[in-house]
Amino acid sequence: DDGSFFVLLPFHRTKYFEELLAKSKLFIREKVFIKQTPKHDLFRIMLCVGRLATAINESEIIIMNEENKYSKGFRELLGDYYLSL
């Protein structure tokens, strides 16, 4: 009952997915907005979903910084999955 799952979606599908969750009586616990660079628009969103309604934590990750290198946040999040970050 207190478990959760995570989903990665194209940003433009967020509203549709939120509507599906509402029908299923599931709640978003966390939103992570994702941009390719600081100059790009949002293109992905990560959602943490569960059965219990809680305050929604929001954050943002930018994949590549101004120097065209992987950002610190991206490296921290995915460093264990990439051989060379």
Side-chain angles (χ1 to χ4, degrees):
D1 285 339
D2 61 345
S4 59
F5 69 91
F6 294 81
V7 63
L8 175 67
L9 298 169
F11 182 73
H12 72 277
R13 302 298 286 173
T14 305
K15 184 176 178 180
Y16 173 74
F17 191 75
E18 288 175 335
E19 290 169 357
L20 290 176
L21 292 175
K23 291 176 186 176
S24 301
K25 297 181 181 173
L26 295 170
F27 302 93
I28 295 173
R29 295 179 176 185
E30 186 172 354
K31 292 182 178 184
V32 181
F33 300 96
I34 304 170
K35 289 182 172 185
Q36 293 170 320
T37 70
K39 295 180 182 179
H40 281 89
D41 291 331
L42 296 169
F43 83 111
R44 297 279 187 270
I45 189 165
M46 289 188 293
L47 302 172
C48 176
V49 179
R51 290 185 177 171
L52 302 175
T54 63
I56 299 172
N57 294 321
E58 294 186 358
S59 60
E60 180 179 85
I61 289 181
I62 297 172
I63 296 173
M64 302 294 277
N65 62 23
E66 295 84 4
E67 293 85 35
N68 204 32
K69 296 183 179 180
Y70 289 115
S71 70
K72 180 182 177 187
F74 183 79
R75 288 191 318 265
E76 288 174 354
L77 179 65
L78 294 171
D80 292 340
Y81 300 98
Y82 283 87
L83 294 176
S84 59
L85 269 185

